[in-house]
Amino acid sequence: MNKSSRKPAKPSRTPLILVLLGGLTVIILLVVFFSTGKNTAHTGKDPVSPVREGGTTKRMVAAERDNRSLIQSVRLEPEFPTRTDVLHAVVTPVVDIPADQLQYSHTWKVNEQTVKNTTGGTLDLSPFRKGDLVYVTVTPYRSGTAGYAARSPMIALQAVPPSLELNIHTLTVKAGGSCILQLSSSHPDSEGVEFGLEEPKVNGMTMDARTGRILWIVQPDQPGVVNFGASVTDSEGTRVTKRFEIKLQHLPAQRTVGH
């Protein structure tokens, strides 16, 4: 009796290959997905895609924001103003826009309060006081369309520096005689001032620092034209120096002061 033997059939590998291919495809898709997400997050920018309106391609909002940035900087001049100055807003547009294509509106604020009836590029500071804080916001317009506003740095009004004056220009006095000179100062933003003598100093001159009174004993060898320096310092620490010139007319007789 002949015995027949059968070898068991080998299982098909096709389903396993399909499973592996499917898994590989899923992995590739996940890698591509997460890679795209990371790139977008890394740049911090929204992707820009064209939008068709009436057959014309327009940029998305991100690009339109850039087109509205028309001002590079705004600064104020003078940098350290007092209330005797007129403040100017100096606007620098972005480099690729001609200045004559832009118009501006200005909003001035002092101590965070809007200054009314002032929309131009200058501000008269005479109504304000030392220590007031000032800045301006400038809105640009191009072809009637507003761009993004830009603000200047905030500055503080400085104290008005003291003045220094001497009214005598010609003095008639005998050599060896004495005379009185008087300095004066206006100091609207200071409680008081102190005077001093500076270079070039003149022999025979002494000063009262509180009053600005100068006692001068004219020396025999002093020339017909005398120059001397003086200073005034206010309570804010602002110091002003000045040089004065006096013409001497010598008299043969004793005479203390003449004009």
Side-chain angles (χ1 to χ4, degrees):
M1 184 177 181
N2 293 329
K3 292 183 179 180
S4 62
S5 62
R6 290 185 180 179
K7 294 182 180 180
K10 294 182 179 180
S12 174
R13 295 184 180 180
T14 301
L16 179 59
I17 294 174
L18 292 177
V19 171
L20 292 175
L21 289 176
L24 182 60
T25 302
V26 171
I27 292 173
I28 293 173
L29 291 175
L30 289 175
V31 170
V32 172
F33 174 79
F34 285 109
S35 176
T36 304
K38 288 181 180 180
N39 290 337
T40 303
H42 177 72
T43 59
K45 297 181 180 179
D46 296 331
V48 178
S49 58
V51 177
R52 297 272 183 179
E53 291 186 8
T56 302
T57 300
K58 294 187 177 181
R59 295 181 178 178
M60 295 295 288
V61 176
E64 292 174 357
R65 279 200 301 266
D66 293 338
N67 290 337
R68 293 177 61 190
S69 299
L70 306 177
I71 294 178
Q72 182 175 331
S73 65
V74 180
R75 72 179 189 277
L76 297 176
E77 291 184 352
E79 187 177 358
F80 303 103
T82 70
R83 53 192 178 89
T84 62
D85 293 314
V86 174
L87 203 56
H88 295 262
V90 181
V91 181
T92 302
V94 294
V95 293
D96 58 342
I97 298 180
D100 58 2
Q101 294 185 10
L102 297 176
Q103 292 80 41
Y104 306 108
S105 67
H106 302 73
T107 301
W108 292 91
K109 287 194 175 184
V110 177
N111 299 330
E112 294 298 341
Q113 300 296 317
T114 301
V115 181
K116 297 181 180 179
N117 302 321
T118 302
T119 57
T122 59
L123 180 65
D124 180 12
L125 298 176
S126 59
F128 308 110
R129 300 177 298 176
K130 68 172 183 177
D132 285 345
L133 301 176
V134 184
Y135 68 88
V136 66
T137 301
V138 181
T139 303
Y141 292 85
R142 188 182 190 189
S143 302
T145 301
Y148 282 110
R151 184 180 131 171
S152 73
M154 182 182 292
I155 61 174
L157 298 192
Q158 307 297 303
V160 177
S163 64
L164 182 59
E165 300 298 335
L166 175 68
N167 294 326
I168 295 176
H169 300 288
T170 301
L171 190 63
T172 304
V173 64
K174 182 180 178 181
S178 64
C179 62
I180 301 296
L181 305 177
Q182 182 64 55
L183 294 173
S184 61
S185 175
S186 173
H187 44 93
D189 285 340
S190 175
E191 296 178 358
V193 294
E194 185 174 286
F195 297 92
L197 290 174
E198 306 291 338
E199 296 293 341
K201 294 184 178 181
V202 175
N203 291 334
M205 277 190 182
T206 58
M207 172 182 282
D208 185 326
R210 184 179 61 85
T211 64
R213 181 177 179 269
I214 300 174
L215 174 61
W216 183 17
I217 299 176
V218 179
Q219 307 298 303
D221 59 346
Q222 286 176 336
V225 177
V226 176
N227 291 278
F228 73 97
S231 66
V232 61
T233 305
D234 66 13
S235 58
E236 302 291 323
T238 303
R239 182 170 176 267
V240 175
T241 61
K242 204 168 183 179
R243 184 169 177 164
F244 297 99
E245 181 181 280
I246 294 179
K247 294 180 180 179
L248 288 177
Q249 293 181 353
H250 296 283
L251 292 178
Q254 177 70 32
R255 184 182 178 90
T256 56
V257 177
H259 294 278

